[in-house]
């Protein structure tokens, strides 16, 4: 049965790669892609996608007209600015592009009776978790404005489900990486930042002592589970961690990448305000979304590095001004 799929953040990693997967596996489906190109690139978007450039907060009239015209069956809301560490210094931008943008999408999903909204949240909602373990049954307690914004989005979506009958599935992906990731943003995506630094003859930077742990997730392993979040009945109104099941220290991840690219030029910078250990549970993603951890970090980084070497030399994104300078880390100071 032909379906109409709307994806926000279509020019970013998750949006563009999910669109690629849908085109390959369900070529009869129609895909509408929305992005303001503030953090993604038009070149990432599959030519079969009907692309609409707009800002979800500023262009509400055009957003409404897209829903009115195409009447999407499923909506994947991936658009966000996920610079977790920077969020305390760009608070209003953070809440506009995460919370207000999501509210705009929720309104249209309710208005046009979307079958299900799939929202990508973040592990940042957990804060420190319970001893570094992040389980879906825990009560979130974020430690930065980005996590606060995403948790507020989660709650708003659940309220829409209770009051307006909106069906939803909330996914909490973690440290996703792979082909089509933005490696030109100095504030997010540590693996991509290291690749950019090496390609531009800069030392790779590690904040703190590098013993903090993360579970990295190769994007290709999560594409079918993301699709399942939309179509499987058992995913209805579920909150699910999604991604890699093996945690690495930042030092270990950097060592693997250095082995791949043949470099060991690394410098350590001051520690940021961040979670020390991030170890998400994953059984729910296997049971409900049929997730399979197929790609280890070495293989995934090798694939991404082969792609990164072929990318054009783009200008790196740097914030011209922060909303708040007080307490800004030395490595981000102007």
């Amino acid at each position: 049965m032909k379906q109409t799929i709307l994806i926000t953040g279509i020019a970013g990693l998750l949006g563009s790669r999910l669109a690629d997967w849908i085109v390959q596996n369900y070529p009869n489906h129609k895909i509408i892609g929305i992005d303001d190109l503030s953090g993604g690139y038009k070149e990432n978007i599959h030519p079969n996608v009907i692309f609409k450039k707009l800002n979800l907060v500023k262009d509400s009239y055009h957003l409404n007209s897209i829903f009115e015209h195409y009447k999407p069956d499923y909506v994947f809301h991936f658009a966000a600015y996920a610079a977790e560490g920077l969020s305390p210094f760009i608070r209003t931008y953070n809440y506009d592009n995460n919370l207000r943008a999501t509210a705009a999408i929720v309104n249209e999903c309710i208005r046009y009776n979307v079958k299900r909204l799939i929202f990508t949240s973040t592990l940042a909602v957990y804060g420190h978790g319970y001893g570094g373990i992040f389980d879906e049954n825990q009560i979130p307690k974020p430690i930065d404005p980005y996590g606060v914004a995403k948790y507020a989005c989660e709650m708003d979506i659940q309220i829409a489900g209770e009051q307006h009958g909106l069906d939803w599935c909330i996914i909490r992906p973690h440290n996703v990486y792979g082909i089509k990731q933005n490696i030109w943003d100095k504030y997010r995506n540590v693996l991509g930042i290291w690749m950019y630094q090496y390609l531009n003859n800069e030392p790779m930077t590690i904040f703190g002592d590098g013993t903090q742990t993360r579970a990295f997730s190769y994007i290709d392993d999560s594409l079918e589970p993301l699709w399942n979040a939309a179509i499987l009945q058992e995913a209805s109104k579920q909150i699910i961690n999604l991604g890699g099941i093996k945690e690495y220290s930042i030092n270990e991840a950097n060592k693997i990448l250095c082995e791949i690219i043949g470099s060991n030029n690394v410098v350590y910078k001051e520690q940021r305000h961040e979670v020390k250990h991030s170890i998400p549970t994953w059984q729910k993603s296997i049971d409900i979304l049929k997730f399979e951890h197929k790609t280890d970090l070495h293989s995934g980084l090798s694939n991404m590095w082969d792609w990164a070497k072929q990318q054009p030399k783009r200008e790196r994104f740097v914030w011209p001004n922060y909303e708040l300078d007080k307490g800004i880390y030395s490595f981000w100071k102007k």
Side-chain angles (χ1 to χ4, degrees), residues 25-305:
N25 291 276
Y26 296 94
N28 292 328
H29 288 356
K30 180 183 292 184
I31 305 174
I32 317 302
I34 293 175
D35 206 295
D36 65 0
L37 301 180
S38 62
Y41 298 93
K42 194 171 182 179
E43 295 85 350
N44 288 346
I45 304 172
H46 195 285
N48 289 18
V49 172
I50 300 170
F51 174 55
K52 303 291 182 179
K53 182 182 178 182
L54 61 87
N55 181 285
L56 296 175
V57 175
K58 298 176 182 178
D59 302 322
S60 58
Y61 174 80
H62 292 103
L63 179 63
N64 175 265
S65 67
I66 290 170
F67 273 80
E68 169 67 28
H69 181 75
Y70 293 104
K71 294 181 172 59
D73 296 290
Y74 299 101
V75 172
F76 291 86
H77 179 38
F78 296 155
Y81 188 63
E84 184 177 348
L86 187 64
S87 65
F89 308 102
I90 53 167
R91 271 184 164 82
T92 59
Y93 184 90
N94 166 67
Y95 290 121
D96 280 347
N97 284 270
N98 293 308
L99 180 53
R100 290 185 64 201
T102 300
I105 288 293
V106 170
N107 281 342
E108 302 307 327
C109 288
I110 294 169
R111 197 186 329 270
Y112 291 97
N113 300 308
V114 166
K115 293 178 181 177
R116 186 176 295 168
L117 167 63
I118 301 86
F119 172 65
T120 46
S121 184
T122 171
L123 292 189
V125 302
Y126 291 110
H128 294 292
Y130 295 173
I133 305 297
F134 297 166
D135 183 81
E136 295 95 339
N137 293 320
Q138 294 172 11
I139 297 174
K141 192 177 180 181
I143 66 167
D144 55 64
Y146 175 66
V148 170
K150 285 291 195 174
Y151 186 34
C153 293
E154 290 189 8
M155 291 189 290
D156 186 67
I157 289 168
Q158 291 175 74
I159 291 169
E162 294 173 4
Q163 185 167 1
H164 298 284
L166 175 66
D167 194 9
W168 53 266
C169 181
I170 293 170
I171 302 297
R172 292 172 177 166
H174 46 89
N175 298 97
V176 185
Y177 71 99
I179 293 169
K180 295 190 177 181
Q181 185 162 61
N182 183 349
I183 64 173
W184 299 273
D185 189 323
K186 69 179 292 184
Y187 307 99
R188 56 190 180 132
N189 308 326
V190 62
L191 303 176
I193 287 172
W194 287 339
M195 291 183 186
Y196 173 91
Q197 289 172 331
Y198 177 80
L199 289 169
N200 288 272
N201 300 311
E202 300 175 8
M204 289 179 275
T205 53
I206 292 176
F207 303 130
D209 61 10
T211 59
Q212 55 269 50
T213 54
R214 300 291 183 266
F216 295 97
S217 310
Y218 189 60
I219 181 61
D220 291 32
D221 290 353
S222 294
L223 297 176
E224 187 168 5
L226 283 170
W227 177 249
N228 288 340
I231 64 168
L232 296 182
Q233 181 55 41
E234 52 266 42
S236 173
K237 297 186 176 178
Q238 294 290 326
I239 298 176
I240 307 172
N241 295 338
L242 179 62
I245 64 175
K246 177 177 171 54
E247 63 273 9
Y248 297 83
S249 73
I250 295 300
N251 285 330
E252 290 171 335
N254 180 260
K255 182 179 179 181
I256 291 171
L257 181 59
C258 286
E259 290 172 354
I260 292 169
I261 66 179
S263 171
N264 60 357
N265 186 12
V266 181
V267 296
Y268 288 80
K269 301 284 188 176
E270 68 181 285
Q271 186 158 341
R272 302 188 306 182
H273 175 72
E274 63 178 340
V275 169
K276 181 70 172 179
H277 299 295
S278 175
I279 306 172
T281 57
W282 39 262
Q283 192 61 47
K284 199 172 181 181
S285 68
I286 294 173
D287 294 341
I288 296 177
L289 302 181
K290 318 305 178 189
F291 173 75
E292 295 182 53
H293 182 75
K294 301 176 182 178
T295 311
D296 64 27
L297 188 56
H298 189 282
S299 298
L301 282 176
S302 295
N303 294 340
M304 183 178 173
W305 175 240

